[in-house]
Coordinates of all heavy atoms in Angstrom, one line a residue:
M18 N -30.4 106.4 -6.3 CA -30.1 107.6 -7.0 C -29.5 107.3 -8.4 O -28.6 106.5 -8.5 CB -29.1 108.5 -6.3 CG -29.0 109.9 -6.8 SD -28.1 110.9 -5.6 CE -27.9 112.3 -6.6
P19 N -30.1 107.9 -9.5 CA -29.6 107.6 -10.8 C -28.1 107.9 -11.0 O -27.6 108.9 -10.4 CB -30.4 108.4 -11.7 CG -31.6 108.8 -11.0 CD -31.2 108.8 -9.5
K20 N -27.4 107.1 -11.7 CA -26.0 107.4 -11.9 C -25.6 106.8 -13.3 O -26.1 105.8 -13.8 CB -25.1 106.7 -10.9 CG -25.3 105.2 -10.8 CD -24.6 104.6 -9.6 CE -25.0 103.1 -9.5 NZ -24.7 102.4 -8.4
F21 N -24.6 107.5 -13.9 CA -24.1 107.0 -15.2 C -23.1 105.9 -14.9 O -22.2 106.0 -14.1 CB -23.4 108.1 -16.0 CG -24.4 109.0 -16.7 CD1 -24.8 110.2 -16.3 CD2 -24.9 108.5 -18.0 CE1 -25.7 111.0 -17.0 CE2 -25.8 109.3 -18.7 CZ -26.2 110.6 -18.2
V22 N -23.2 104.8 -15.7 CA -22.4 103.6 -15.5 C -21.8 103.2 -16.9 O -22.5 103.2 -17.9 CB -23.2 102.4 -15.0 CG1 -22.4 101.1 -15.0 CG2 -23.8 102.7 -13.6
K23 N -20.5 103.0 -16.9 CA -19.8 102.6 -18.2 C -20.3 101.2 -18.6 O -20.1 100.3 -17.8 CB -18.4 102.6 -18.0 CG -17.6 102.1 -19.2 CD -16.1 102.2 -19.0 CE -15.3 101.5 -20.2 NZ -13.9 101.5 -19.9
M24 N -20.9 101.1 -19.7 CA -21.4 99.7 -20.2 C -20.7 99.3 -21.4 O -20.9 98.1 -21.8 CB -22.9 99.8 -20.4 CG -23.6 100.0 -19.1 SD -25.3 99.4 -19.1 CE -25.9 99.8 -17.5
A25 N -19.9 100.1 -22.1 CA -19.3 99.7 -23.3 C -18.2 100.7 -23.7 O -18.2 101.8 -23.1 CB -20.3 99.6 -24.5
V26 N -17.4 100.3 -24.6 CA -16.5 101.3 -25.2 C -17.0 101.4 -26.7 O -17.6 100.5 -27.2 CB -15.0 100.9 -25.2 CG1 -14.5 100.9 -23.8 CG2 -14.8 99.5 -25.8
R27 N -16.7 102.6 -27.3 CA -17.3 102.9 -28.6 C -17.0 101.9 -29.6 O -17.9 101.6 -30.5 CB -16.8 104.3 -29.0 CG -17.5 105.4 -28.2 CD -16.9 106.8 -28.6 NE -17.1 107.0 -30.1 CZ -16.5 108.1 -30.7 NH1 -15.9 108.9 -29.9 NH2 -16.7 108.3 -31.9
E28 N -15.8 101.3 -29.6 CA -15.5 100.3 -30.7 C -16.4 99.1 -30.6 O -16.5 98.3 -31.5 CB -14.0 99.9 -30.7 CG -13.5 99.1 -29.5 CD -12.1 98.8 -29.7 OE1 -11.4 99.3 -30.5 OE2 -11.6 98.0 -28.9
E29 N -17.0 98.7 -29.4 CA -17.9 97.6 -29.3 C -19.2 97.9 -30.0 O -20.0 96.9 -30.1 CB -18.1 97.3 -27.8 CG -16.9 96.8 -27.0 CD -17.2 96.6 -25.6 OE1 -17.5 97.6 -24.9 OE2 -17.3 95.4 -25.1
L30 N -19.5 99.1 -30.2 CA -20.8 99.5 -30.7 C -20.7 100.3 -32.0 O -21.1 101.5 -32.0 CB -21.6 100.4 -29.6 CG -22.4 99.6 -28.6 CD1 -23.1 100.6 -27.6 CD2 -23.4 98.7 -29.2
P31 N -20.3 99.7 -33.0 CA -20.3 100.4 -34.3 C -21.8 100.6 -34.8 O -22.7 100.0 -34.2 CB -19.5 99.5 -35.2 CG -19.7 98.1 -34.7 CD -19.7 98.3 -33.1
V32 N -21.9 101.3 -35.9 CA -23.3 101.6 -36.4 C -24.0 100.2 -36.7 O -23.4 99.3 -37.3 CB -23.3 102.4 -37.6 CG1 -24.6 102.5 -38.3 CG2 -22.7 103.8 -37.3
G33 N -25.2 100.1 -36.1 CA -26.0 98.9 -36.4 C -25.7 97.7 -35.4 O -26.4 96.7 -35.4
A34 N -24.8 98.0 -34.4 CA -24.4 96.9 -33.5 C -25.3 97.0 -32.2 O -25.9 98.0 -31.9 CB -23.0 97.0 -33.1
S35 N -25.3 96.0 -31.4 CA -25.9 96.0 -30.2 C -25.1 95.2 -29.2 O -24.2 94.4 -29.5 CB -27.3 95.3 -30.3 OG -27.2 94.0 -30.7
K36 N -25.4 95.4 -27.9 CA -24.6 94.7 -26.8 C -25.5 94.6 -25.6 O -26.2 95.5 -25.2 CB -23.4 95.6 -26.4 CG -22.6 94.9 -25.3 CD -21.4 95.8 -24.8 CE -20.6 95.0 -23.8 NZ -19.7 95.8 -23.1
E37 N -25.5 93.4 -25.0 CA -26.2 93.2 -23.8 C -25.3 93.3 -22.6 O -24.2 92.8 -22.6 CB -26.8 91.8 -23.8 CG -27.7 91.5 -22.5 CD -28.3 90.1 -22.6 OE1 -29.3 89.9 -23.2 OE2 -27.7 89.1 -21.9
V38 N -25.8 94.0 -21.6 CA -25.0 94.3 -20.4 C -25.9 94.0 -19.2 O -27.0 94.4 -19.1 CB -24.5 95.7 -20.3 CG1 -23.8 96.0 -19.0 CG2 -23.6 96.1 -21.5
E39 N -25.3 93.2 -18.2 CA -26.0 93.0 -17.0 C -25.4 93.9 -15.9 O -24.2 93.9 -15.7 CB -26.0 91.5 -16.6 CG -27.0 91.2 -15.5 CD -27.1 89.7 -15.2 OE1 -26.8 88.9 -16.1 OE2 -27.6 89.4 -14.1
F40 N -26.2 94.6 -15.2 CA -25.7 95.5 -14.1 C -26.7 95.5 -12.9 O -27.8 95.8 -13.1 CB -25.5 96.9 -14.6 CG -24.9 97.9 -13.6 CD1 -23.6 97.8 -13.2 CD2 -25.8 98.7 -13.0 CE1 -23.1 98.7 -12.3 CE2 -25.3 99.6 -12.0 CZ -24.0 99.6 -11.6
E41 N -26.1 95.1 -11.8 CA -26.9 95.1 -10.6 C -28.2 94.3 -10.7 O -29.3 94.8 -10.3 CB -27.1 96.5 -10.0 CG -25.8 97.1 -9.5 CD -25.9 98.5 -8.8 OE1 -27.0 99.1 -9.1 OE2 -25.0 98.9 -8.2
G42 N -28.2 93.2 -11.4 CA -29.3 92.3 -11.5 C -30.3 92.7 -12.6 O -31.3 92.0 -12.8
R43 N -30.0 93.7 -13.4 CA -30.9 94.1 -14.5 C -30.1 94.0 -15.8 O -28.9 94.3 -15.8 CB -31.3 95.6 -14.2 CG -32.3 96.0 -15.2 CD -33.0 97.4 -14.8 NE -34.1 97.6 -15.7 CZ -35.0 98.6 -15.5 NH1 -34.9 99.4 -14.4 NH2 -36.0 98.7 -16.3
V44 N -30.8 93.7 -16.8 CA -30.3 93.5 -18.2 C -30.6 94.7 -19.0 O -31.7 95.2 -19.1 CB -30.8 92.2 -18.9 CG1 -30.2 92.0 -20.2 CG2 -30.5 91.0 -18.0
Y45 N -29.6 95.2 -19.6 CA -29.7 96.4 -20.5 C -29.3 96.0 -21.9 O -28.4 95.1 -22.1 CB -28.8 97.5 -20.1 CG -29.1 98.0 -18.7 CD1 -28.6 97.4 -17.6 CD2 -29.9 99.2 -18.5 CE1 -28.9 97.9 -16.3 CE2 -30.2 99.7 -17.3 CZ -29.7 99.0 -16.1 OH -30.0 99.5 -14.9
A46 N -30.0 96.6 -22.9 CA -29.6 96.4 -24.3 C -29.2 97.7 -24.9 O -29.9 98.7 -24.9 CB -30.8 95.8 -25.1
L47 N -28.0 97.7 -25.4 CA -27.4 98.9 -26.0 C -27.4 98.8 -27.5 O -27.1 97.7 -28.0 CB -26.0 99.2 -25.5 CG -25.8 99.8 -24.1 CD1 -26.3 99.0 -23.0 CD2 -24.3 100.1 -23.9
F48 N -27.6 99.9 -28.2 CA -27.7 99.9 -29.7 C -26.9 101.1 -30.2 O -26.8 102.2 -29.5 CB -29.0 100.0 -30.2 CG -29.9 98.7 -29.7 CD1 -30.7 98.8 -28.5 CD2 -29.9 97.6 -30.4 CE1 -31.4 97.8 -28.0 CE2 -30.7 96.5 -29.9 CZ -31.4 96.6 -28.8
N49 N -26.5 101.1 -31.4 CA -26.0 102.2 -32.1 C -26.9 102.3 -33.4 O -26.7 101.5 -34.4 CB -24.5 102.0 -32.5 CG -24.0 103.2 -33.3 OD1 -24.7 104.0 -33.9 ND2 -22.6 103.4 -33.1
V50 N -27.7 103.3 -33.4 CA -28.6 103.6 -34.6 C -28.0 104.8 -35.4 O -28.1 105.9 -34.9 CB -30.0 103.8 -34.2 CG1 -30.9 104.1 -35.4 CG2 -30.6 102.7 -33.3
D51 N -27.4 104.5 -36.5 CA -26.9 105.6 -37.3 C -26.0 106.5 -36.5 O -26.1 107.8 -36.7 CB -28.0 106.4 -38.0 CG -28.8 105.5 -39.0 OD1 -28.2 104.6 -39.5 OD2 -30.0 105.8 -39.1
G52 N -25.2 105.9 -35.7 CA -24.2 106.7 -34.9 C -24.7 107.3 -33.6 O -24.0 107.9 -32.9
Q53 N -26.0 107.1 -33.4 CA -26.6 107.5 -32.1 C -26.8 106.3 -31.2 O -27.5 105.4 -31.6 CB -28.0 108.2 -32.4 CG -28.5 109.0 -31.2 CD -29.8 109.7 -31.5 OE1 -30.3 109.6 -32.6 NE2 -30.4 110.3 -30.4
N54 N -26.3 106.4 -30.0 CA -26.5 105.3 -29.1 C -27.8 105.3 -28.4 O -28.4 106.4 -28.1 CB -25.3 105.3 -28.0 CG -24.0 105.0 -28.7 OD1 -23.0 105.8 -28.6 ND2 -23.9 103.9 -29.3
A55 N -28.3 104.2 -28.0 CA -29.5 104.1 -27.2 C -29.4 102.9 -26.3 O -28.7 101.9 -26.5 CB -30.7 103.8 -28.2
A56 N -30.2 103.0 -25.2 CA -30.2 101.9 -24.2 C -31.6 101.6 -23.8 O -32.4 102.6 -23.4 CB -29.3 102.2 -23.1
I57 N -32.1 100.4 -23.8 CA -33.4 100.0 -23.3 C -33.3 98.8 -22.4 O -32.2 98.2 -22.2 CB -34.4 99.6 -24.5 CG1 -33.7 98.4 -25.4 CG2 -34.6 100.8 -25.4 CD1 -34.7 97.9 -26.3
D58 N -34.4 98.5 -21.7 CA -34.4 97.3 -20.9 C -34.1 96.1 -21.9 O -34.7 96.0 -22.9 CB -35.9 97.2 -20.3 CG -36.0 96.2 -19.3 OD1 -35.3 95.2 -19.3 OD2 -36.8 96.4 -18.3
G59 N -33.2 95.3 -21.5 CA -32.8 94.2 -22.4 C -33.6 92.9 -22.3 O -33.4 92.0 -23.1
T60 N -34.7 93.0 -21.5 CA -35.6 91.8 -21.4 C -36.9 92.1 -21.9 O -37.6 93.0 -21.5 CB -35.7 91.4 -19.8 OG1 -34.4 91.2 -19.3 CG2 -36.5 90.2 -19.7
C61 N -37.3 91.3 -22.9 CA -38.6 91.6 -23.6 C -39.7 91.3 -22.6 O -39.8 90.3 -21.8 CB -38.7 90.6 -24.7 SG -40.3 90.7 -25.6
P62 N -40.8 92.2 -22.6 CA -41.9 92.1 -21.6 C -42.8 91.0 -22.0 O -43.7 90.6 -21.2 CB -42.6 93.5 -21.7 CG -42.2 94.0 -23.0 CD -40.8 93.4 -23.3
H63 N -42.7 90.4 -23.1 CA -43.5 89.3 -23.5 C -43.2 88.0 -22.7 O -43.9 87.7 -21.8 CB -43.4 89.0 -25.0 CG -44.3 87.9 -25.5 ND1 -43.9 86.9 -26.4 CD2 -45.6 87.5 -25.1 CE1 -44.9 86.1 -26.6 NE2 -45.9 86.3 -25.8
Q64 N -42.1 87.4 -23.0 CA -41.7 86.2 -22.3 C -40.2 86.2 -21.9 O -39.6 85.2 -21.7 CB -42.1 84.9 -23.0 CG -43.6 84.7 -23.1 CD -43.9 83.4 -23.8 OE1 -43.1 82.7 -24.3 NE2 -45.2 83.2 -23.9
G65 N -39.6 87.4 -21.9 CA -38.2 87.5 -21.4 C -37.1 87.3 -22.4 O -36.0 87.1 -22.1
G66 N -37.5 87.5 -23.7 CA -36.4 87.3 -24.7 C -35.3 88.4 -24.7 O -35.6 89.4 -24.2
P67 N -34.2 88.0 -25.2 CA -33.0 89.0 -25.1 C -33.0 90.0 -26.2 O -32.6 89.7 -27.3 CB -31.8 88.0 -25.2 CG -32.3 86.9 -26.0 CD -33.8 86.7 -25.8
L68 N -33.5 91.2 -26.0 CA -33.7 92.1 -27.0 C -32.4 92.6 -27.7 O -32.4 92.9 -28.8 CB -34.4 93.4 -26.4 CG -35.8 93.1 -26.0 CD1 -36.4 94.4 -25.4 CD2 -36.7 92.6 -27.2
A69 N -31.2 92.5 -27.0 CA -30.0 92.8 -27.7 C -29.6 91.9 -28.8 O -28.8 92.2 -29.6 CB -28.9 92.9 -26.6
D70 N -30.2 90.7 -28.7 CA -29.9 89.7 -29.7 C -30.8 89.8 -31.0 O -30.7 89.1 -32.0 CB -30.0 88.3 -29.2 CG -28.9 88.0 -28.2 OD1 -28.0 88.7 -28.1 OD2 -29.1 87.0 -27.5
G71 N -31.8 90.7 -31.0 CA -32.7 90.9 -32.0 C -32.2 91.7 -33.2 O -31.2 92.5 -33.0
P72 N -32.7 91.5 -34.4 CA -32.3 92.3 -35.5 C -32.8 93.7 -35.4 O -33.9 94.0 -34.9 CB -33.0 91.6 -36.7 CG -34.1 90.9 -36.1 CD -33.8 90.5 -34.7
L73 N -31.9 94.7 -35.8 CA -32.2 96.1 -35.6 C -32.4 96.7 -37.1 O -31.6 96.5 -38.0 CB -31.0 96.8 -35.0 CG -31.1 98.3 -34.7 CD1 -32.1 98.5 -33.6 CD2 -29.7 98.8 -34.2
E74 N -33.6 97.3 -37.3 CA -33.9 97.8 -38.5 C -34.3 99.3 -38.3 O -35.3 99.5 -37.7 CB -35.0 97.1 -39.2 CG -35.0 97.3 -40.7 CD -36.0 96.4 -41.4 OE1 -36.0 95.1 -41.2 OE2 -36.8 96.9 -42.1
G75 N -33.4 100.2 -38.7 CA -33.7 101.6 -38.4 C -33.6 101.7 -36.9 O -32.6 101.2 -36.3
C76 N -34.5 102.3 -36.2 CA -34.5 102.3 -34.8 C -35.4 101.3 -34.1 O -35.6 101.3 -32.9 CB -35.0 103.8 -34.3 SG -36.6 104.1 -34.8
M77 N -35.8 100.3 -34.9 CA -36.7 99.2 -34.4 C -35.9 97.9 -34.2 O -35.2 97.5 -35.1 CB -37.9 99.0 -35.3 CG -38.8 100.2 -35.6 SD -39.6 100.8 -34.1 CE -40.8 99.5 -33.7
V78 N -36.0 97.3 -33.0 CA -35.5 96.1 -32.7 C -36.5 95.1 -32.5 O -37.5 95.4 -32.0 CB -34.5 96.1 -31.5 CG1 -35.3 96.3 -30.2 CG2 -33.8 94.7 -31.4
A79 N -36.3 93.9 -33.2 CA -37.4 92.9 -33.0 C -36.9 91.8 -32.1 O -35.7 91.3 -32.1 CB -37.6 92.2 -34.4
C80 N -37.7 91.4 -31.1 CA -37.3 90.4 -30.2 C -37.0 89.1 -31.0 O -37.8 88.6 -31.8 CB -38.4 90.1 -29.2 SG -38.1 88.8 -28.0
P81 N -35.9 88.4 -30.7 CA -35.6 87.2 -31.4 C -36.4 86.0 -31.1 O -36.4 85.0 -31.9 CB -34.1 86.9 -31.0 CG -34.0 87.6 -29.6 CD -34.9 88.8 -29.7
W82 N -37.3 86.1 -30.1 CA -38.1 84.9 -29.8 C -39.4 84.9 -30.5 O -39.8 83.9 -31.1 CB -38.3 84.9 -28.2 CG -37.1 84.4 -27.5 CD1 -35.8 84.2 -28.0 CD2 -37.0 84.1 -26.1 NE1 -35.0 83.7 -27.0 CE2 -35.7 83.7 -25.8 CE3 -37.9 84.1 -25.0 CZ2 -35.2 83.4 -24.6 CZ3 -37.5 83.8 -23.8 CH2 -36.1 83.4 -23.5
H83 N -40.2 86.0 -30.4 CA -41.4 86.0 -31.2 C -41.8 87.2 -32.0 O -42.9 87.5 -32.4 CB -42.7 85.8 -30.1 CG -42.4 84.7 -29.1 ND1 -42.0 84.9 -27.8 CD2 -42.4 83.3 -29.3 CE1 -41.8 83.8 -27.2 NE2 -42.1 82.8 -28.0
G84 N -40.7 88.1 -32.1 CA -40.8 89.2 -33.0 C -41.5 90.5 -32.6 O -41.7 91.4 -33.4
W85 N -41.8 90.6 -31.3 CA -42.3 91.9 -30.9 C -41.2 93.0 -31.1 O -40.1 92.8 -30.9 CB -42.6 91.9 -29.3 CG -43.9 91.1 -29.0 CD1 -44.5 90.2 -29.6 CD2 -44.5 91.3 -27.7 NE1 -45.6 89.8 -29.0 CE2 -45.7 90.4 -27.8 CE3 -44.3 92.1 -26.5 CZ2 -46.5 90.3 -26.7 CZ3 -45.2 91.9 -25.5 CH2 -46.3 91.0 -25.6
E86 N -41.7 94.1 -31.6 CA -40.8 95.2 -32.0 C -40.9 96.4 -31.1 O -41.9 96.7 -30.6 CB -41.1 95.6 -33.5 CG -40.9 94.6 -34.5 CD -41.2 95.1 -35.9 OE1 -42.3 95.7 -36.1 OE2 -40.3 95.0 -36.8
F87 N -39.8 96.9 -30.9 CA -39.6 98.1 -30.0 C -38.8 99.2 -30.6 O -37.7 98.9 -31.2 CB -39.1 97.7 -28.6 CG -39.9 96.7 -27.9 CD1 -39.6 95.4 -28.1 CD2 -40.9 97.1 -27.1 CE1 -40.4 94.4 -27.3 CE2 -41.7 96.2 -26.4 CZ -41.5 94.8 -26.6
D88 N -39.2 100.4 -30.4 CA -38.3 101.6 -30.8 C -37.3 101.8 -29.8 O -37.6 102.0 -28.6 CB -39.2 102.8 -30.9 CG -38.5 104.0 -31.5 OD1 -37.3 104.3 -31.1 OD2 -39.0 104.7 -32.3
V89 N -36.0 101.7 -30.1 CA -35.0 101.8 -29.1 C -34.8 103.1 -28.6 O -34.1 103.3 -27.5 CB -33.6 101.2 -29.6 CG1 -33.8 99.7 -30.0 CG2 -33.1 102.0 -30.7
H90 N -35.4 104.2 -29.2 CA -35.3 105.5 -28.7 C -36.4 105.9 -27.7 O -36.3 106.6 -26.7 CB -35.2 106.6 -29.8 CG -34.1 106.4 -30.7 ND1 -32.8 106.5 -30.2 CD2 -33.9 106.4 -32.0 CE1 -31.9 106.3 -31.2 NE2 -32.6 106.3 -32.2
T91 N -37.6 105.3 -27.9 CA -38.8 105.6 -27.1 C -39.3 104.5 -26.2 O -40.1 104.8 -25.3 CB -39.9 106.1 -28.1 OG1 -40.4 104.9 -28.8 CG2 -39.5 107.2 -29.0
G92 N -39.0 103.2 -26.5 CA -39.4 102.1 -25.8 C -40.8 101.7 -26.3 O -41.4 100.8 -25.8
K93 N -41.4 102.4 -27.2 CA -42.8 102.1 -27.7 C -42.8 101.0 -28.7 O -41.7 100.7 -29.3 CB -43.4 103.4 -28.3 CG -43.7 104.5 -27.3 CD -44.3 105.7 -28.0 CE -44.6 106.8 -26.9 NZ -45.0 108.0 -27.5
T94 N -43.9 100.3 -28.9 CA -44.0 99.3 -29.8 C -45.3 99.5 -30.6 O -46.3 100.0 -30.2 CB -44.2 97.9 -29.1 OG1 -44.6 96.9 -30.0 CG2 -45.1 97.9 -27.9
P95 N -45.3 99.0 -31.9 CA -46.5 99.1 -32.7 C -47.7 98.3 -32.1 O -48.9 98.4 -32.5 CB -46.1 98.5 -34.0 CG -44.6 98.5 -34.1 CD -44.2 98.4 -32.6
L96 N -47.4 97.4 -31.1 CA -48.4 96.6 -30.5 C -49.4 97.4 -29.7 O -50.5 96.9 -29.4 CB -47.8 95.5 -29.7 CG -47.0 94.5 -30.4 CD1 -46.2 93.7 -29.5 CD2 -47.8 93.6 -31.3
G97 N -49.1 98.7 -29.4 CA -50.1 99.5 -28.6 C -49.5 100.1 -27.4 O -48.4 99.7 -27.0
P98 N -50.2 101.1 -26.8 CA -49.6 101.8 -25.8 C -49.5 101.1 -24.4 O -48.8 101.6 -23.5 CB -50.6 103.1 -25.7 CG -51.8 102.5 -26.2 CD -51.5 101.5 -27.3
K99 N -50.2 100.0 -24.3 CA -50.2 99.3 -23.0 C -48.8 98.6 -22.8 O -48.4 98.2 -21.7 CB -51.3 98.2 -22.9 CG -52.6 98.8 -22.7 CD -53.7 97.8 -22.5 CE -55.0 98.4 -22.3 NZ -56.1 97.5 -22.4
I100 N -48.1 98.3 -23.9 CA -46.8 97.7 -23.8 C -45.7 98.7 -24.1 O -45.7 99.3 -25.1 CB -46.7 96.5 -24.8 CG1 -47.9 95.5 -24.6 CG2 -45.4 95.8 -24.7 CD1 -48.1 94.5 -25.8
K101 N -44.7 98.8 -23.2 CA -43.7 99.7 -23.3 C -42.5 99.3 -22.5 O -42.7 98.6 -21.4 CB -44.2 101.1 -22.9 CG -43.2 102.3 -23.2 CD -43.9 103.6 -22.8 CE -43.1 104.8 -23.2 NZ -41.8 104.9 -22.5
I102 N -41.3 99.6 -22.9 CA -40.1 99.1 -22.2 C -39.4 100.4 -21.8 O -39.5 101.5 -22.4 CB -39.2 98.2 -22.9 CG1 -38.8 98.8 -24.3 CG2 -39.9 96.8 -23.0 CD1 -37.8 97.9 -24.9
D103 N -38.6 100.2 -20.7 CA -37.8 101.4 -20.2 C -36.7 101.8 -21.1 O -36.1 100.9 -21.8 CB -37.2 101.0 -18.9 CG -38.2 101.0 -17.7 OD1 -39.3 101.6 -17.9 OD2 -38.0 100.2 -16.8
V104 N -36.5 103.1 -21.2 CA -35.4 103.7 -22.1 C -34.5 104.4 -21.1 O -34.9 105.1 -20.2 CB -36.0 104.6 -23.1 CG1 -34.9 105.3 -23.9 CG2 -36.9 103.9 -24.1
F105 N -33.2 104.3 -21.4 CA -32.3 105.0 -20.5 C -31.4 106.0 -21.3 O -31.0 105.7 -22.4 CB -31.4 103.9 -19.9 CG -32.1 102.8 -19.2 CD1 -32.4 101.6 -19.8 CD2 -32.6 103.0 -17.9 CE1 -33.1 100.6 -19.2 CE2 -33.4 102.0 -17.3 CZ -33.7 100.8 -17.9
E106 N -31.1 107.0 -20.6 CA -30.2 108.0 -21.3 C -28.8 107.5 -21.5 O -28.3 106.7 -20.6 CB -30.1 109.3 -20.4 CG -29.4 110.5 -21.0 CD -29.4 111.7 -20.1 OE1 -30.3 111.8 -19.2 OE2 -28.5 112.5 -20.3
V107 N -28.2 107.8 -22.6 CA -26.8 107.4 -22.9 C -26.0 108.6 -23.2 O -26.4 109.6 -23.9 CB -26.8 106.5 -24.2 CG1 -25.4 105.9 -24.5 CG2 -27.8 105.3 -23.9
K108 N -24.7 108.6 -22.8 CA -23.8 109.6 -23.1 C -22.4 108.9 -23.4 O -22.1 107.9 -22.9 CB -23.7 110.7 -22.1 CG -23.0 110.3 -20.8 CD -22.9 111.6 -19.9 CE -22.2 111.3 -18.6 NZ -22.1 112.4 -17.7
V109 N -21.7 109.6 -24.3 CA -20.3 109.2 -24.6 C -19.3 110.1 -24.0 O -19.5 111.3 -24.2 CB -20.2 109.1 -26.2 CG1 -18.8 108.7 -26.5 CG2 -21.2 108.0 -26.7
E110 N -18.4 109.5 -23.3 CA -17.3 110.3 -22.8 C -16.0 109.7 -23.3 O -15.6 108.7 -22.8 CB -17.3 110.3 -21.3 CG -18.3 111.4 -20.6 CD -18.2 111.4 -19.1 OE1 -17.4 110.7 -18.5 OE2 -19.0 112.2 -18.5
G111 N -15.3 110.4 -24.1 CA -14.1 109.8 -24.7 C -14.5 108.6 -25.5 O -15.3 108.6 -26.4
E112 N -13.9 107.4 -25.0 CA -14.2 106.2 -25.7 C -15.3 105.4 -25.0 O -15.7 104.3 -25.4 CB -12.9 105.3 -25.8 CG -11.9 105.8 -26.8 CD -12.5 106.0 -28.2 OE1 -13.0 105.1 -28.7 OE2 -12.4 107.2 -28.7
D113 N -15.7 105.9 -23.9 CA -16.7 105.2 -23.0 C -18.1 105.5 -23.3 O -18.5 106.7 -23.6 CB -16.4 105.5 -21.5 CG -15.1 105.0 -21.1 OD1 -14.5 104.2 -21.8 OD2 -14.6 105.6 -20.1
V114 N -19.0 104.5 -23.3 CA -20.4 104.6 -23.5 C -21.0 104.4 -22.1 O -20.9 103.3 -21.5 CB -21.0 103.6 -24.5 CG1 -22.5 103.8 -24.6 CG2 -20.3 103.8 -25.8
L115 N -21.6 105.5 -21.6 CA -22.3 105.4 -20.3 C -23.8 105.4 -20.3 O -24.3 106.1 -21.2 CB -21.8 106.5 -19.5 CG -20.2 106.7 -19.3 CD1 -19.8 107.9 -20.0 CD2 -19.8 106.6 -17.9
V116 N -24.4 104.7 -19.4 CA -25.8 104.6 -19.4 C -26.3 105.1 -18.0 O -25.7 104.7 -17.0 CB -26.3 103.2 -19.6 CG1 -27.8 103.0 -19.5 CG2 -25.9 102.7 -21.0
L117 N -27.3 105.9 -18.1 CA -27.9 106.4 -16.8 C -28.8 105.3 -16.2 O -29.9 105.1 -16.7 CB -28.7 107.7 -17.0 CG -29.2 108.4 -15.8 CD1 -28.1 108.9 -15.0 CD2 -30.1 109.6 -16.3
V118 N -28.4 104.7 -15.1 CA -29.2 103.6 -14.5 C -30.0 104.2 -13.4 O -29.5 105.1 -12.7 CB -28.3 102.5 -14.1 CG1 -27.5 101.9 -15.2 CG2 -27.4 102.8 -13.0
P119 N -31.2 103.7 -13.2 CA -32.0 104.2 -12.1 C -31.5 103.8 -10.7 O -30.8 102.9 -10.5 CB -33.4 103.7 -12.4 CG -33.2 102.5 -13.3 CD -31.9 102.7 -13.9
Ligands
FES27 S1 -40.3 87.0 -25.7 FE1 -40.1 88.7 -26.9 S2 -41.7 88.5 -28.3 FE2 -41.9 86.8 -27.0

């Protein structure tokens, strides 16, 4: 059953920052895009690169290994509709950043 899990505190995610979090065997990548938090699958579907370590430009993150790009709000990529990553709902409660995990 989906549940919100605390994955960061707000000061860890200033505008333009990212954070990788492992929870129950899955890797999540959290971002702050212009004050709006986002969370996606942290493992690149190409060859497993760490998406939280990639450069963020606007709402697009580029995988640090081979440069595949993903929109952190939608999980979509300019590479086409066959490739997509999971996106997770994020909410802020006080100082806590919570992610809705499946
Ligand atoms: S592992 Fe991400 S682009 Fe290759």
Side-chain angles (χ1 to χ4, degrees):
M18 189 168 172
K20 60 188 171 193
F21 277 101
V22 174
K23 177 182 172 182
M24 292 203 179
V26 292
R27 286 175 57 186
E28 69 177 11
E29 291 177 294
L30 273 179
V32 171
S35 60
K36 181 185 180 190
E37 182 177 279
V38 177
E39 195 172 336
F40 180 77
E41 292 184 343
R43 184 165 191 172
V44 178
Y45 297 81
L47 280 61
F48 301 91
N49 182 335
V50 180
D51 296 331
Q53 191 180 357
N54 294 122
I57 58 174
D58 194 327
T60 303
C61 180
H63 179 218
Q64 290 181 359
L68 293 177
D70 291 346
L73 186 65
E74 199 171 311
C76 62
M77 300 298 289
V78 65
C80 177
W82 286 6
H83 315 101
W85 284 19
E86 293 181 310
F87 299 92
D88 185 316
V89 301
H90 294 309
T91 65
K93 293 180 180 173
T94 169
L96 296 169
K99 286 187 180 164
I100 304 167
K101 192 172 182 295
I102 54 172
D103 289 336
V104 175
F105 306 97
E106 185 179 339
V107 182
K108 71 176 179 179
V109 174
E110 277 185 1
E112 291 305 306
D113 297 339
V114 179
L115 303 116
V116 175
L117 186 62
V118 301

